[in-house]
Amino acid sequence: MVEELNPFRISQMELDKAAKIMGLDETAHALLREPKRTVVVNVPVRMRDGSVKTFIGFRVLYNDARGPGKGGIRFHPEESLDTVKALSAWMTWKTSLANIPFGGAKGGVICNPKELNEAELESLSRNYIRAICREIGPDVDVPAPDVYTTPQIMAWMMDEYSNLVGKQEFGMITGKPTEVWGSEGRFDSTAMGGMYVLREAAKLKKLNLKNAKIAIQGFGNAGRFAFEIAEKLSGSKVVAVSDSSGGIYSKGGIDYEKLVKAKTAGGNVQAYKEADKITNEELLELDVDVIIPAALENQITEKNADKIKAKIVLELANGPVTPGADRILFEKGILDMPDFLVNSGGVIVSYFEWTQNRQGYYWKENEVYSRLDEIVTRSFNDVMNTQKEYLEKKVKISPRTAAYIVAVGRVAKAMKIRGWY
Ligand code: NAD
């Protein structure tokens, strides 16, 4: 049988699995299998040659029983409604697992930002906000940056929205530059949250991170900060790293500063000469303690899960491990930390940004990190305690399923208490 790789189908399958184990009410299950609201808009943009080009945009509010929607906006040539729906579902579970007062949402525009000049990109950003302005707002649905959208784009969107509603509405979007009241600590928050999870997971596995060897797939926002922070925070050694052009491996460790220089000069990580070249597939199968998939979805599947040797898989990317692979890793005794726990740092600091915008009082970086640590560690414990509770009932579940049970349970309870079913 061919493994299902449609992201929305995967998100439904994961929900179905958790729903069955936790005995979720049928009506709640049906409500949670589909988004509450899906909006498709066309966004006209005047191009540099005077013509008007129409782009297709989406905004999906998956569930808002626990608070306003929260989720990024992606500008990508291969954006699709199914991807946005899946990501909005995952945002629902992510905010619920973190126990922050938001629901889940996601947005996107089908476009290639690399082909747009700055004026076109600004116009696309502003016109997209005009098209969806009735669907968003600080108490309704709060967007943020995601693939190929930047703090500058968030600033344009905030400005456009403020003009439309006739007041300064900084809290309508997060991930803004600090000059227009973004939060301290936002830029590396995803990797930082992931490292707090790794610290807790290592304790559980009795793995001393000081001597640990780490391989990281991806060297973008998530992977690059993970590399830097892993070494700084825990003293672990990153021995392998990759990007879209392939990977590198050095038993003795890779020097972060030298790698950044080599990648800047040569365009990819393989420009770093003091390491062996490897493929992205080989990187995942290395004999290391921790692998951090920080690039794309569907990287560990039923085809290669059996070849994974690491003790811990830290899913910093969204959806890097398929449901079939999750089962295999669990059976092999590998501690696979699910994406919506590991990469929740971004949305947690987004929550802090929204909170600061609403109170008009701003926190220092160390306050942001210590509050982030508290929330991520609490979520980790919620997951592992749930897994333990089920084990005591003789039901073996993976950390991912346990995380689903916690997150889905909270959303279902909120819907019930509100009288939705
Ligand atoms: P990015 O675009 O900055 O970086 C992606 C990296 O992956 C690049 O280094 C790219 O070269 C590499 N890559 C692309 N194809 C690859 C392949 N086939 N094999 C290996 N590497 C490949 O993106 P990002 O922001 O770092 O996001 C990466 C993942 O983390 C995504 O799944 C994203 O949804 C998730 N994530 C990121 C954040 C964040 O704050 N940046 C938050 C939550 C989740």
Side-chain angles (χ1 to χ4, degrees):
M1 202 172 72
V2 181
E3 197 177 6
E4 175 64 70
L5 296 180
N6 173 303
F8 186 55
R9 277 293 302 134
I10 289 180
S11 77
Q12 287 183 320
M13 283 161 60
E14 287 172 343
L15 170 69
D16 295 347
K17 187 174 171 191
K20 196 169 167 201
I21 296 170
M22 68 197 283
L24 183 68
D25 180 283
E26 253 177 53
T27 317
H29 186 184
L31 276 167
L32 291 174
R33 275 189 113 244
E34 294 291 336
K36 178 172 173 180
R37 186 174 69 209
T38 299
V39 176
V40 182
V41 291
N42 67 30
V43 187
V45 174
R46 188 164 297 282
M47 308 301 283
R48 68 199 93 161
D49 63 1
S51 66
V52 174
K53 190 168 172 185
T54 299
F55 295 89
I56 302 297
F58 312 105
R59 186 73 193 171
V60 175
L61 177 70
Y62 200 82
N63 187 286
D64 59 357
R66 289 171 39 89
K70 188 89 198 74
I73 297 168
R74 299 160 34 119
F75 282 181
H76 199 276
E78 276 144 41
E79 195 59 278
S80 73
L81 187 54
D82 268 357
T83 313
V84 178
K85 278 162 67 175
L87 290 165
S88 70
W90 284 320
M91 285 307 297
T92 308
W93 316 137
K94 200 185 283 193
T95 55
S96 176
L97 182 64
N99 214 358
I100 57 176
F102 284 109
K106 205 77 180 187
V109 177
I110 306 171
C111 67
N112 186 352
K114 289 179 185 161
E115 288 171 0
L116 303 174
N117 68 18
E118 204 187 2
E120 290 162 345
L121 195 60
E122 177 174 351
S123 180
L124 176 67
S125 307
R126 289 182 182 276
N127 294 355
Y128 172 65
I129 289 300
R130 295 173 85 90
I132 62 163
C133 71
R134 283 185 197 82
E135 322 298 335
I136 56 171
D139 296 308
V140 182
D141 176 1
V142 184
D146 204 293
V147 176
Y148 294 146
T149 52
T150 59
Q152 173 62 71
I153 290 176
M154 299 304 109
W156 289 327
M157 290 180 168
M158 178 278 292
D159 185 68
E160 189 64 25
Y161 187 85
S162 295
N163 290 339
L164 286 166
V165 298
K167 59 180 173 161
Q168 302 307 329
E169 202 61 276
F170 294 107
M172 61 74 57
I173 206 160
T174 59
K176 303 179 292 293
T178 47
E179 289 81 356
V180 285
W181 307 114
S183 178
E184 294 295 339
R186 172 69 176 82
F187 68 102
D188 60 357
S189 52
T190 301
M192 193 61 101
M195 289 305 125
Y196 296 141
V197 174
L198 178 58
R199 182 194 62 206
E200 298 304 311
K203 279 187 213 161
L204 209 70
K205 280 293 212 186
K206 302 202 175 12
L207 172 70
N208 182 354
L209 281 178
K210 273 213 177 84
N211 307 320
K213 289 193 213 113
I214 301 184
I216 304 179
Q217 187 193 52
F219 198 62
N221 275 326
R224 194 172 173 141
F225 284 122
F227 191 140
E228 202 182 1
I229 300 169
E231 292 200 332
K232 265 196 204 149
L233 232 60
S234 64
S236 309
K237 213 181 272 175
V238 177
V239 294
V241 65
S242 66
D243 58 22
S244 54
S245 60
I248 50 171
Y249 171 66
S250 167
K251 210 174 169 191
I254 293 163
D255 184 295
Y256 177 76
E257 301 296 338
K258 276 192 196 161
L259 174 61
V260 171
K261 265 193 205 145
K263 169 139 176 143
T264 310
N268 58 53
V269 295
Q270 290 193 336
Y272 181 94
K273 294 295 171 217
E274 292 127 64
D276 299 329
K277 288 186 179 159
I278 54 169
T279 65
N280 263 298
E281 294 73 39
E282 286 165 343
L283 178 134
L284 296 172
E285 295 163 18
L286 285 172
D287 189 6
V288 291
D289 300 296
V290 181
I291 48 176
I292 307 184
L296 303 171
E297 59 277 11
N298 300 332
Q299 293 304 294
I300 302 180
T301 65
E302 283 178 346
K303 283 198 187 125
N304 62 353
D306 211 29
K307 298 186 195 138
I308 306 291
K309 298 184 191 71
K311 297 180 184 72
I312 298 173
V313 176
L314 192 76
E315 299 181 17
L316 206 54
N318 277 316
V321 175
T322 61
D326 180 66
R327 181 180 38 77
I328 297 170
L329 295 180
F330 182 56
E331 281 163 7
K332 276 169 65 93
I334 294 172
L335 188 56
D336 175 22
M337 291 282 98
D339 50 2
F340 65 104
L341 168 65
V342 175
N343 66 31
S344 61
V347 74
I348 294 168
V349 175
S350 267
Y351 160 50
F352 296 162
E353 180 173 336
W354 176 83
T355 306
Q356 293 169 78
N357 289 157
R358 291 165 80 90
Q359 63 183 10
Y361 182 77
Y362 289 83
W363 313 345
K364 294 193 199 76
E365 195 180 65
N366 59 355
E367 285 175 271
V368 170
Y369 290 146
S370 69
R371 287 184 163 127
L372 173 64
D373 192 354
E374 200 182 307
I375 294 184
V376 170
T377 306
R378 182 185 67 198
S379 309
F380 174 88
N381 289 330
D382 287 345
V383 171
M384 301 320 292
N385 288 339
T386 302
Q387 190 189 34
K388 218 162 111 193
E389 273 168 34
Y390 274 78
L391 203 59
E392 281 161 10
K393 292 188 269 179
K394 307 249 179 300
V395 184
K396 278 192 186 172
I397 54 171
S398 67
R400 183 186 324 278
T401 305
Y404 263 95
I405 290 174
V406 175
V408 171
R410 284 181 184 148
V411 180
K413 265 192 200 142
M415 294 197 305
K416 180 81 184 161
I417 290 166
R418 292 180 68 141
W420 289 11
Y421 73 96

